Amino acid sequence: QVQLVESGGGLVQPGGSLRLSCTVSGFTLDYYAIGWFRQAPGKEREGVSCASSSDGSTYYADSVKGRFTISTDSAKNTVYLQMNSLKPVGTAVYYCARLRRGLPNELCIHDSAMDYWGKGTLVTVSS
């Protein structure tokens, strides 16, 4: 059974850092790209970052480049999203999702390309 479980969310002050984890089961990260998405209150879901273990490729939305870093630990079946210099606009529920097999990795920040999703973890950036 395919599962993705996010953790690591919480309350952080502007300028602070958080590390989110996405632990997967039922498949191996060696064959699937994993994306991070977020949905702020009243807004559409947007792709934030994604990574593929098969070729080491990573992708970032322009809004988080230079501040967020995605990484994969295949031995732990976990994908991390290190978020630094957080801004209040980063307040959202963060989700991880799996790219449908066979699709090119560059699609992995497009939510229509993902087939399984976690339930999300809330990140609140506020003073």
Side-chain angles (χ1 to χ4, degrees), residues 17-98:
S17 298
L18 277 178
R19 188 179 77 160
L20 304 183
S21 300
C22 173
T23 301
V24 308
S25 58
F27 66 100
T28 174
L29 291 174
D30 291 342
Y31 299 112
Y32 290 90
I34 299 295
W36 282 98
F37 298 78
R38 65 186 180 187
Q39 187 165 23
K43 295 193 175 182
E44 293 187 355
R45 188 166 54 197
E46 63 171 342
V48 174
S49 180
C50 67
S52 170
S53 294
S54 63
D55 62 5
S57 59
T58 58
Y59 302 89
Y60 296 94
D62 288 341
S63 59
V64 306
K65 280 181 182 176
R67 299 187 297 117
F68 289 13
T69 303
I70 192 169
S71 60
T72 300
D73 186 338
S74 295
K76 295 184 177 180
N77 296 322
T78 301
V79 178
Y80 302 99
L81 185 68
Q82 178 66 44
M83 306 186 296
N84 298 330
S85 302
L86 281 162
K87 304 176 182 179
V89 295
T91 294
V93 177
Y94 285 71
Y95 302 89
C96 61
R98 189 183 80 169

Side-chain angles (χ1 to χ4, degrees), residues 6 8-11 18 20 39 41 90-94 119-124:
E6 304 91 341
L11 174 64
L18 277 178
L20 304 183
Q39 187 165 23
T91 294
V93 177
Y94 285 71
K119 294 183 179 180
T121 185
L122 177 63
V123 173
T124 303

